[in-house]
mmCIF file of all heavy atoms in Angstrom:
data_model
loop_
_atom_site.group_PDB
_atom_site.id
_atom_site.type_symbol
_atom_site.label_atom_id
_atom_site.label_comp_id
_atom_site.label_asym_id
_atom_site.label_seq_id
_atom_site.Cartn_x
_atom_site.Cartn_y
_atom_site.Cartn_z
ATOM 1 N N LEU A 185 -17.103 15.287 -7.020
ATOM 2 C CA LEU A 185 -15.768 15.348 -7.569
ATOM 3 C C LEU A 185 -14.803 14.545 -6.706
ATOM 4 O O LEU A 185 -13.935 13.882 -7.291
ATOM 5 C CB LEU A 185 -15.298 16.828 -7.646
ATOM 6 C CG LEU A 185 -13.996 17.069 -8.291
ATOM 7 C CD1 LEU A 185 -13.919 16.567 -9.694
ATOM 8 C CD2 LEU A 185 -13.649 18.577 -8.244
ATOM 9 N N SER A 186 -14.935 14.605 -5.415
ATOM 10 C CA SER A 186 -14.108 13.862 -4.490
ATOM 11 C C SER A 186 -14.312 12.354 -4.710
ATOM 12 O O SER A 186 -13.296 11.613 -4.757
ATOM 13 C CB SER A 186 -14.398 14.183 -3.041
ATOM 14 O OG SER A 186 -13.685 13.459 -2.196
ATOM 15 N N TRP A 187 -15.539 11.964 -4.915
ATOM 16 C CA TRP A 187 -15.870 10.529 -5.173
ATOM 17 C C TRP A 187 -15.316 10.021 -6.509
ATOM 18 O O TRP A 187 -14.737 8.955 -6.612
ATOM 19 C CB TRP A 187 -17.400 10.380 -5.131
ATOM 20 C CG TRP A 187 -17.930 9.041 -5.601
ATOM 21 C CD1 TRP A 187 -17.801 7.821 -4.915
ATOM 22 C CD2 TRP A 187 -18.565 8.743 -6.787
ATOM 23 N NE1 TRP A 187 -18.360 6.841 -5.637
ATOM 24 C CE2 TRP A 187 -18.911 7.317 -6.729
ATOM 25 C CE3 TRP A 187 -18.994 9.480 -7.852
ATOM 26 C CZ2 TRP A 187 -19.590 6.716 -7.789
ATOM 27 C CZ3 TRP A 187 -19.678 8.837 -8.939
ATOM 28 C CH2 TRP A 187 -19.946 7.471 -8.794
ATOM 29 N N ILE A 188 -15.351 10.905 -7.521
ATOM 30 C CA ILE A 188 -14.782 10.549 -8.838
ATOM 31 C C ILE A 188 -13.306 10.373 -8.767
ATOM 32 O O ILE A 188 -12.730 9.494 -9.320
ATOM 33 C CB ILE A 188 -15.230 11.647 -9.873
ATOM 34 C CG1 ILE A 188 -16.716 11.497 -10.143
ATOM 35 C CG2 ILE A 188 -14.389 11.436 -11.166
ATOM 36 C CD1 ILE A 188 -17.279 12.716 -10.831
ATOM 37 N N ARG A 189 -12.690 11.347 -8.066
ATOM 38 C CA ARG A 189 -11.183 11.223 -7.893
ATOM 39 C C ARG A 189 -10.857 9.910 -7.149
ATOM 40 O O ARG A 189 -9.871 9.209 -7.521
ATOM 41 C CB ARG A 189 -10.656 12.392 -7.065
ATOM 42 C CG ARG A 189 -10.675 13.708 -7.754
ATOM 43 C CD ARG A 189 -9.874 14.704 -6.970
ATOM 44 N NE ARG A 189 -10.008 16.071 -7.418
ATOM 45 C CZ ARG A 189 -10.554 17.082 -6.723
ATOM 46 N NH1 ARG A 189 -11.115 16.811 -5.496
ATOM 47 N NH2 ARG A 189 -10.622 18.266 -7.222
ATOM 48 N N ARG A 190 -11.645 9.528 -6.170
ATOM 49 C CA ARG A 190 -11.354 8.266 -5.476
ATOM 50 C C ARG A 190 -11.472 7.034 -6.375
ATOM 51 O O ARG A 190 -10.691 6.170 -6.344
ATOM 52 C CB ARG A 190 -12.350 8.132 -4.277
ATOM 53 C CG ARG A 190 -12.026 6.901 -3.420
ATOM 54 C CD ARG A 190 -13.020 6.750 -2.213
ATOM 55 N NE ARG A 190 -12.718 5.513 -1.541
ATOM 56 C CZ ARG A 190 -13.396 5.074 -0.517
ATOM 57 N NH1 ARG A 190 -14.446 5.789 -0.030
ATOM 58 N NH2 ARG A 190 -13.165 3.907 0.035
ATOM 59 N N ARG A 191 -12.444 7.075 -7.260
ATOM 60 C CA ARG A 191 -12.671 6.019 -8.222
ATOM 61 C C ARG A 191 -11.459 5.877 -9.145
ATOM 62 O O ARG A 191 -11.049 4.813 -9.517
ATOM 63 C CB ARG A 191 -13.988 6.127 -8.970
ATOM 64 C CG ARG A 191 -15.234 5.933 -8.112
ATOM 65 C CD ARG A 191 -16.422 5.785 -8.949
ATOM 66 N NE ARG A 191 -16.444 4.524 -9.755
ATOM 67 C CZ ARG A 191 -16.761 3.352 -9.327
ATOM 68 N NH1 ARG A 191 -17.169 3.167 -8.126
ATOM 69 N NH2 ARG A 191 -16.710 2.307 -10.157
ATOM 70 N N LEU A 192 -10.981 7.034 -9.576
ATOM 71 C CA LEU A 192 -9.746 7.016 -10.436
ATOM 72 C C LEU A 192 -8.541 6.562 -9.679
ATOM 73 O O LEU A 192 -7.708 5.807 -10.270
ATOM 74 C CB LEU A 192 -9.559 8.418 -10.988
ATOM 75 C CG LEU A 192 -10.621 9.016 -11.936
ATOM 76 C CD1 LEU A 192 -10.450 10.434 -12.225
ATOM 77 C CD2 LEU A 192 -10.608 8.187 -13.267
ATOM 78 N N ARG A 193 -8.441 6.907 -8.404
ATOM 79 C CA ARG A 193 -7.365 6.383 -7.602
ATOM 80 C C ARG A 193 -7.446 4.845 -7.457
ATOM 81 O O ARG A 193 -6.385 4.177 -7.535
ATOM 82 C CB ARG A 193 -7.362 7.031 -6.172
ATOM 83 C CG ARG A 193 -6.831 8.438 -6.151
ATOM 84 C CD ARG A 193 -6.718 8.959 -4.706
ATOM 85 N NE ARG A 193 -6.335 10.333 -4.686
ATOM 86 C CZ ARG A 193 -7.184 11.369 -4.531
ATOM 87 N NH1 ARG A 193 -8.453 11.089 -4.335
ATOM 88 N NH2 ARG A 193 -6.769 12.604 -4.591
ATOM 89 N N ALA A 194 -8.636 4.332 -7.333
ATOM 90 C CA ALA A 194 -8.840 2.844 -7.243
ATOM 91 C C ALA A 194 -8.360 2.185 -8.528
ATOM 92 O O ALA A 194 -7.718 1.107 -8.430
ATOM 93 C CB ALA A 194 -10.253 2.588 -6.942
ATOM 94 N N ILE A 195 -8.585 2.782 -9.660
ATOM 95 C CA ILE A 195 -8.151 2.267 -10.950
ATOM 96 C C ILE A 195 -6.626 2.191 -10.998
ATOM 97 O O ILE A 195 -6.035 1.191 -11.375
ATOM 98 C CB ILE A 195 -8.685 3.081 -12.107
ATOM 99 C CG1 ILE A 195 -10.221 2.958 -12.241
ATOM 100 C CG2 ILE A 195 -8.077 2.610 -13.477
ATOM 101 C CD1 ILE A 195 -10.813 3.955 -13.217
ATOM 102 N N ILE A 196 -5.986 3.273 -10.587
ATOM 103 C CA ILE A 196 -4.515 3.361 -10.558
ATOM 104 C C ILE A 196 -3.890 2.325 -9.710
ATOM 105 O O ILE A 196 -2.946 1.624 -10.032
ATOM 106 C CB ILE A 196 -4.084 4.849 -10.233
ATOM 107 C CG1 ILE A 196 -4.540 5.782 -11.304
ATOM 108 C CG2 ILE A 196 -2.521 4.828 -10.065
ATOM 109 C CD1 ILE A 196 -4.361 7.220 -10.877
ATOM 110 N N LEU A 197 -4.440 2.219 -8.468
ATOM 111 C CA LEU A 197 -3.922 1.266 -7.500
ATOM 112 C C LEU A 197 -4.073 -0.190 -8.073
ATOM 113 O O LEU A 197 -3.184 -1.028 -7.921
ATOM 114 C CB LEU A 197 -4.620 1.342 -6.146
ATOM 115 C CG LEU A 197 -4.331 2.614 -5.355
ATOM 116 C CD1 LEU A 197 -5.267 2.632 -4.064
ATOM 117 C CD2 LEU A 197 -2.930 2.785 -4.981
ATOM 118 N N HIS A 198 -5.255 -0.436 -8.727
ATOM 119 C CA HIS A 198 -5.467 -1.789 -9.291
ATOM 120 C C HIS A 198 -4.485 -2.064 -10.403
ATOM 121 O O HIS A 198 -3.948 -3.167 -10.517
ATOM 122 C CB HIS A 198 -6.876 -1.845 -9.805
ATOM 123 C CG HIS A 198 -7.309 -3.209 -10.201
ATOM 124 N ND1 HIS A 198 -7.101 -3.703 -11.476
ATOM 125 C CD2 HIS A 198 -7.856 -4.208 -9.475
ATOM 126 C CE1 HIS A 198 -7.637 -4.916 -11.545
ATOM 127 N NE2 HIS A 198 -8.097 -5.318 -10.350
ATOM 128 N N GLN A 199 -4.106 -1.021 -11.219
ATOM 129 C CA GLN A 199 -3.183 -1.174 -12.297
ATOM 130 C C GLN A 199 -1.764 -1.379 -11.782
ATOM 131 O O GLN A 199 -1.020 -2.050 -12.364
ATOM 132 C CB GLN A 199 -3.266 0.019 -13.231
ATOM 133 C CG GLN A 199 -4.537 0.002 -14.017
ATOM 134 C CD GLN A 199 -4.665 1.300 -14.939
ATOM 135 O OE1 GLN A 199 -3.849 2.194 -14.842
ATOM 136 N NE2 GLN A 199 -5.628 1.287 -15.811
ATOM 137 N N TRP A 200 -1.405 -0.802 -10.595
ATOM 138 C CA TRP A 200 -0.151 -1.009 -9.959
ATOM 139 C C TRP A 200 0.021 -2.400 -9.430
ATOM 140 O O TRP A 200 1.136 -2.823 -9.283
ATOM 141 C CB TRP A 200 0.085 0.100 -8.885
ATOM 142 C CG TRP A 200 0.367 1.474 -9.415
ATOM 143 C CD1 TRP A 200 0.557 1.793 -10.711
ATOM 144 C CD2 TRP A 200 0.506 2.633 -8.661
ATOM 145 N NE1 TRP A 200 0.765 3.192 -10.808
ATOM 146 C CE2 TRP A 200 0.760 3.699 -9.563
ATOM 147 C CE3 TRP A 200 0.420 2.998 -7.285
ATOM 148 C CZ2 TRP A 200 0.928 5.076 -9.162
ATOM 149 C CZ3 TRP A 200 0.522 4.267 -6.838
ATOM 150 C CH2 TRP A 200 0.863 5.275 -7.791
ATOM 151 N N LYS A 201 -1.037 -3.010 -9.062
ATOM 152 C CA LYS A 201 -1.092 -4.421 -8.617
ATOM 153 C C LYS A 201 -0.539 -4.649 -7.265
ATOM 154 O O LYS A 201 -1.131 -5.275 -6.394
ATOM 155 C CB LYS A 201 -0.463 -5.328 -9.635
ATOM 156 C CG LYS A 201 -1.189 -5.341 -10.956
ATOM 157 C CD LYS A 201 -0.566 -6.348 -11.919
ATOM 158 C CE LYS A 201 -1.356 -6.314 -13.278
ATOM 159 N NZ LYS A 201 -0.745 -7.256 -14.305
ATOM 160 N N THR A 202 0.788 -4.255 -7.025
ATOM 161 C CA THR A 202 1.419 -4.498 -5.758
ATOM 162 C C THR A 202 1.796 -3.116 -5.135
ATOM 163 O O THR A 202 1.805 -2.137 -5.823
ATOM 164 C CB THR A 202 2.667 -5.334 -5.873
ATOM 165 O OG1 THR A 202 3.633 -4.564 -6.626
ATOM 166 C CG2 THR A 202 2.337 -6.644 -6.614
ATOM 167 N N THR A 203 2.162 -3.195 -3.860
ATOM 168 C CA THR A 203 2.545 -1.946 -3.154
ATOM 169 C C THR A 203 3.985 -1.497 -3.579
ATOM 170 O O THR A 203 4.385 -0.383 -3.155
ATOM 171 C CB THR A 203 2.495 -2.166 -1.645
ATOM 172 O OG1 THR A 203 3.340 -3.305 -1.308
ATOM 173 C CG2 THR A 203 1.102 -2.402 -1.211
ATOM 174 N N LYS A 204 4.640 -2.306 -4.375
ATOM 175 C CA LYS A 204 6.045 -1.888 -4.737
ATOM 176 C C LYS A 204 6.106 -0.548 -5.439
ATOM 177 O O LYS A 204 6.881 0.327 -5.076
ATOM 178 C CB LYS A 204 6.640 -2.992 -5.619
ATOM 179 C CG LYS A 204 8.153 -2.789 -5.984
ATOM 180 C CD LYS A 204 8.649 -3.950 -6.790
ATOM 181 C CE LYS A 204 10.117 -3.745 -7.128
ATOM 182 N NZ LYS A 204 10.667 -4.876 -7.923
ATOM 183 N N LYS A 205 5.212 -0.388 -6.460
ATOM 184 C CA LYS A 205 5.250 0.917 -7.170
ATOM 185 C C LYS A 205 4.677 2.028 -6.283
ATOM 186 O O LYS A 205 5.208 3.186 -6.281
ATOM 187 C CB LYS A 205 4.426 0.832 -8.418
ATOM 188 C CG LYS A 205 4.530 2.127 -9.259
ATOM 189 C CD LYS A 205 3.983 2.012 -10.649
ATOM 190 C CE LYS A 205 4.140 3.290 -11.424
ATOM 191 N NZ LYS A 205 3.564 3.188 -12.777
ATOM 192 N N LEU A 206 3.685 1.727 -5.485
ATOM 193 C CA LEU A 206 3.072 2.700 -4.579
ATOM 194 C C LEU A 206 4.206 3.263 -3.624
ATOM 195 O O LEU A 206 4.296 4.444 -3.422
ATOM 196 C CB LEU A 206 1.994 2.068 -3.767
ATOM 197 C CG LEU A 206 1.420 2.920 -2.599
ATOM 198 C CD1 LEU A 206 0.780 4.177 -3.133
ATOM 199 C CD2 LEU A 206 0.322 2.164 -1.829
ATOM 200 N N ASN A 207 4.973 2.363 -3.001
ATOM 201 C CA ASN A 207 6.009 2.761 -2.138
ATOM 202 C C ASN A 207 7.113 3.621 -2.803
ATOM 203 O O ASN A 207 7.657 4.526 -2.212
ATOM 204 C CB ASN A 207 6.603 1.577 -1.387
ATOM 205 C CG ASN A 207 5.723 1.107 -0.302
ATOM 206 O OD1 ASN A 207 5.421 1.856 0.709
ATOM 207 N ND2 ASN A 207 5.258 -0.161 -0.319
ATOM 208 N N ARG A 208 7.407 3.197 -4.088
ATOM 209 C CA ARG A 208 8.383 3.970 -4.818
ATOM 210 C C ARG A 208 7.893 5.334 -5.037
ATOM 211 O O ARG A 208 8.704 6.358 -4.972
ATOM 212 C CB ARG A 208 8.644 3.222 -6.131
ATOM 213 C CG ARG A 208 9.879 3.788 -6.855
ATOM 214 C CD ARG A 208 10.369 2.834 -7.972
ATOM 215 N NE ARG A 208 9.387 2.605 -8.981
ATOM 216 C CZ ARG A 208 8.853 1.385 -9.268
ATOM 217 N NH1 ARG A 208 9.152 0.358 -8.496
ATOM 218 N NH2 ARG A 208 7.913 1.294 -10.233
ATOM 219 N N VAL A 209 6.633 5.505 -5.415
ATOM 220 C CA VAL A 209 6.053 6.885 -5.675
ATOM 221 C C VAL A 209 6.066 7.667 -4.384
ATOM 222 O O VAL A 209 6.353 8.884 -4.331
ATOM 223 C CB VAL A 209 4.665 6.779 -6.210
ATOM 224 C CG1 VAL A 209 3.957 8.175 -6.261
ATOM 225 C CG2 VAL A 209 4.687 6.146 -7.583
ATOM 226 N N LEU A 210 5.715 6.998 -3.251
ATOM 227 C CA LEU A 210 5.642 7.663 -1.978
ATOM 228 C C LEU A 210 7.049 8.177 -1.525
ATOM 229 O O LEU A 210 7.117 9.274 -0.911
ATOM 230 C CB LEU A 210 5.012 6.744 -0.885
ATOM 231 C CG LEU A 210 3.566 6.526 -0.970
ATOM 232 C CD1 LEU A 210 3.113 5.432 -0.046
ATOM 233 C CD2 LEU A 210 2.724 7.719 -0.649
ATOM 234 N N ARG A 211 8.058 7.405 -1.744
ATOM 235 C CA ARG A 211 9.393 7.782 -1.310
ATOM 236 C C ARG A 211 9.803 9.048 -2.117
ATOM 237 O O ARG A 211 10.457 9.910 -1.523
ATOM 238 C CB ARG A 211 10.359 6.645 -1.667
ATOM 239 C CG ARG A 211 10.375 5.521 -0.616
ATOM 240 C CD ARG A 211 11.628 4.672 -0.701
ATOM 241 N NE ARG A 211 11.770 4.073 -1.966
ATOM 242 C CZ ARG A 211 11.191 2.836 -2.309
ATOM 243 N NH1 ARG A 211 10.391 2.156 -1.454
ATOM 244 N NH2 ARG A 211 11.386 2.284 -3.554
ATOM 245 N N ARG A 212 9.385 9.144 -3.387
ATOM 246 C CA ARG A 212 9.750 10.330 -4.137
ATOM 247 C C ARG A 212 9.058 11.608 -3.593
ATOM 248 O O ARG A 212 9.596 12.718 -3.765
ATOM 249 C CB ARG A 212 9.382 10.188 -5.614
ATOM 250 C CG ARG A 212 10.255 9.215 -6.409
ATOM 251 C CD ARG A 212 10.203 9.435 -7.870
ATOM 252 N NE ARG A 212 8.871 9.220 -8.433
ATOM 253 C CZ ARG A 212 8.517 8.056 -8.964
ATOM 254 N NH1 ARG A 212 9.369 7.081 -9.022
ATOM 255 N NH2 ARG A 212 7.294 7.931 -9.467
ATOM 256 N N THR A 213 7.981 11.451 -2.902
ATOM 257 C CA THR A 213 7.253 12.594 -2.354
ATOM 258 C C THR A 213 7.684 12.905 -0.900
ATOM 259 O O THR A 213 7.166 13.826 -0.329
ATOM 260 C CB THR A 213 5.763 12.285 -2.352
ATOM 261 O OG1 THR A 213 5.428 11.207 -1.491
ATOM 262 C CG2 THR A 213 5.187 12.086 -3.762
ATOM 263 N N GLY A 214 8.557 12.090 -0.379
ATOM 264 C CA GLY A 214 9.056 12.367 0.951
ATOM 265 C C GLY A 214 8.421 11.535 2.017
ATOM 266 O O GLY A 214 8.681 11.726 3.208
ATOM 267 N N TRP A 215 7.520 10.554 1.602
ATOM 268 C CA TRP A 215 6.848 9.680 2.590
ATOM 269 C C TRP A 215 7.920 8.740 3.221
ATOM 270 O O TRP A 215 8.685 8.158 2.502
ATOM 271 C CB TRP A 215 5.795 8.878 1.819
ATOM 272 C CG TRP A 215 4.946 8.026 2.689
ATOM 273 C CD1 TRP A 215 5.231 6.762 3.121
ATOM 274 C CD2 TRP A 215 3.663 8.270 3.135
ATOM 275 N NE1 TRP A 215 4.202 6.248 3.850
ATOM 276 C CE2 TRP A 215 3.142 7.182 3.887
ATOM 277 C CE3 TRP A 215 2.784 9.342 3.069
ATOM 278 C CZ2 TRP A 215 1.929 7.058 4.512
ATOM 279 C CZ3 TRP A 215 1.522 9.275 3.648
ATOM 280 C CH2 TRP A 215 1.150 8.196 4.391
ATOM 281 N N LYS A 216 7.903 8.576 4.547
ATOM 282 C CA LYS A 216 8.912 7.857 5.235
ATOM 283 C C LYS A 216 8.575 6.366 5.447
ATOM 284 O O LYS A 216 9.456 5.533 5.414
ATOM 285 C CB LYS A 216 9.245 8.561 6.580
ATOM 286 C CG LYS A 216 9.623 10.001 6.510
ATOM 287 C CD LYS A 216 10.998 10.179 5.794
ATOM 288 C CE LYS A 216 11.359 11.634 5.793
ATOM 289 N NZ LYS A 216 12.666 11.879 4.959
ATOM 290 N N GLU A 217 7.377 6.074 5.833
ATOM 291 C CA GLU A 217 6.986 4.725 6.177
ATOM 292 C C GLU A 217 6.638 3.845 4.985
ATOM 293 O O GLU A 217 6.163 4.334 3.965
ATOM 294 C CB GLU A 217 5.724 4.810 7.033
ATOM 295 C CG GLU A 217 5.918 5.666 8.354
ATOM 296 C CD GLU A 217 4.663 5.781 9.126
ATOM 297 O OE1 GLU A 217 3.600 5.203 8.731
ATOM 298 O OE2 GLU A 217 4.581 6.516 10.097
ATOM 299 N N LYS A 218 6.919 2.567 5.102
ATOM 300 C CA LYS A 218 6.567 1.605 4.074
ATOM 301 C C LYS A 218 5.067 1.200 4.287
ATOM 302 O O LYS A 218 4.635 1.008 5.342
ATOM 303 C CB LYS A 218 7.426 0.359 4.230
ATOM 304 C CG LYS A 218 7.220 -0.615 3.140
ATOM 305 C CD LYS A 218 8.170 -1.808 3.177
ATOM 306 C CE LYS A 218 7.957 -2.811 2.069
ATOM 307 N NZ LYS A 218 8.936 -3.858 2.099
ATOM 308 N N VAL A 219 4.359 1.166 3.144
ATOM 309 C CA VAL A 219 2.956 0.907 3.148
ATOM 310 C C VAL A 219 2.586 -0.513 2.755
ATOM 311 O O VAL A 219 3.142 -0.995 1.707
ATOM 312 C CB VAL A 219 2.164 1.940 2.316
ATOM 313 C CG1 VAL A 219 0.700 1.589 2.190
ATOM 314 C CG2 VAL A 219 2.416 3.343 2.788
#
């Protein structure tokens, strides 16, 4: 199950293409550092 979730995360990251959306999502969760 953990491996399957990881594969789904890989799809989502690939669809986001750049870290711009990733960082935007992280900021909403309270993440402080830029990735």
Side-chain angles (χ1 to χ4, degrees):
L185 183 60
S186 178
W187 172 72
I188 290 163
R189 289 190 190 116
R190 183 179 176 184
R191 291 193 65 83
L192 293 171
R193 285 190 185 98
I195 294 171
I196 294 170
L197 293 178
H198 191 271
Q199 290 177 352
W200 286 353
K201 295 181 180 178
T202 69
T203 57
K204 186 177 179 179
K205 185 169 182 178
L206 172 63
N207 281 300
R208 191 163 62 243
V209 172
L210 286 171
R211 282 197 301 273
R212 287 202 298 265
T213 63
W215 185 278
K216 303 296 184 184
E217 301 173 6
K218 188 175 181 180
V219 174

